[in-house]
Amino acid sequence: MQVDSDGMSNPTDIGSGSSTYTLTSSEEGKKIKVEVSFTDGDGGSEGPLVSGAYPSSGTVVAAPVLNTPPTASNGTVTTDEDTEHTFAATDFGYLDADNDTLVSVEITGLPTSGTGTLTLNGTVIGSG
């Protein structure tokens, strides 16, 4: 059960009938007590046994979010003649589990002769 930070007030059942329970962000700032009832090997009912409030000092805090590296893949963009294309993160297969935004892109080749012009904010970077 979940209780307020004093370890007693506002008990709330959060995992009844389950043998496991994963704490969620809704328990942040609370304390957790474990109440167990069971049937012993002779068929007798045991419990409920109630733990002290956990943590005994302080309250439940959210686990830090781990920074998961993003993934990306090489991409090719082809457009019709005289058609501009503004690149987006999706052009590079960019995915990030932490929902971080794409910050930069490395261009490793310029358009070949006669195939187009690469510009950045309206300034020509290279032309083919």
Side-chain angles (χ1 to χ4, degrees):
M1 79 183 76
Q2 170 186 297
V3 292
D4 286 344
S5 60
D6 66 4
M8 309 260 311
S9 303
N10 300 314
T12 304
D13 185 353
I14 57 174
S16 181
S18 177
S19 60
T20 62
Y21 181 78
T22 302
L23 296 174
T24 66
S25 60
S26 67
E27 281 87 41
E28 187 171 0
K30 305 289 185 176
K31 292 183 179 279
I32 304 299
K33 287 184 174 183
V34 177
E35 180 176 303
V36 179
S37 298
F38 59 94
T39 303
D40 65 23
D42 295 325
S45 294
E46 300 289 337
L49 304 174
V50 181
S51 72
Y54 176 84
S56 57
S57 62
T59 57
V60 174
V61 294
V65 175
L66 300 177
N67 187 17
T68 305
T71 60
S73 59
N74 291 335
T76 301
V77 175
T78 303
T79 64
D80 291 332
E81 183 177 357
D82 299 325
T83 301
E84 290 186 2
H85 177 79
T86 300
F87 289 102
T90 54
D91 291 325
F92 304 98
Y94 180 80
L95 297 171
D96 187 73
D98 304 322
N99 294 318
D100 294 329
T101 57
L102 179 65
V103 174
S104 65
V105 174
E106 180 179 348
I107 305 292
T108 59
L110 296 174
T112 57
S113 180
T115 62
T117 303
L118 179 64
T119 62
L120 176 62
N121 296 326
T123 303
V124 174
I125 301 294
S127 61

